[in-house]
Amino acid sequence: MFTERSGIIVWVNDLKAAGKHLEKYGNVHFISKKLHYAAMYVYASRLDETVKQLQRLPFVKKVERSYRSEIKTEYNSNIPDKTRFYTL
């Protein structure tokens, strides 16, 4: 039902051009006016070819891939819970 998406950060020179042209490559989530970057999501199956296409655009400085999907987000603690010793 849901397709896998990957996040990328696109560093740009021209924000107006970024706002107009980046929509056709994926979902633009956020554009920072102060730091001149756009956060967007693209299909994970077409990530490499989308990054190559984005790097060819004249207003793009650099494209960075997000590693959020590779970070472990489930944590387990082997240390016993000590909160019961500190109750009033």
Side-chain angles (χ1 to χ4, degrees), residues 13-27:
N13 291 326
D14 187 14
L15 290 173
K16 187 180 271 188
K20 290 181 181 179
H21 296 289
L22 290 181
E23 280 289 329
K24 67 179 179 178
Y25 296 102
N27 296 335

Side-chain angles (χ1 to χ4, degrees), residues 30-42:
F30 177 74
I31 296 178
S32 172
K33 294 179 183 177
K34 185 175 182 181
L35 297 176
H36 292 271
Y37 74 88
M40 58 187 299
Y41 290 101
V42 297

Side-chain angles (χ1 to χ4, degrees), residues 3-10 25-29 38-48 50-51 54 63-70:
T3 57
E4 286 292 319
R5 298 187 308 164
S6 295
I8 56 174
I9 304 296
V10 182
Y25 296 102
N27 296 335
V28 177
H29 181 68
M40 58 187 299
Y41 290 101
V42 297
Y43 291 119
S45 60
R46 297 185 295 197
L47 177 67
D48 294 331
T50 305
V51 168
L54 287 171
V63 179
E64 294 179 355
R65 199 175 138 239
S66 173
Y67 294 103
R68 184 174 185 196
S69 61
E70 298 172 9

Side-chain angles (χ1 to χ4, degrees), residues 61-78:
K61 287 188 214 174
K62 181 171 60 168
V63 179
E64 294 179 355
R65 199 175 138 239
S66 173
Y67 294 103
R68 184 174 185 196
S69 61
E70 298 172 9
I71 296 174
K72 184 177 129 183
T73 56
E74 295 178 9
Y75 305 103
N76 56 0
S77 177
N78 295 334

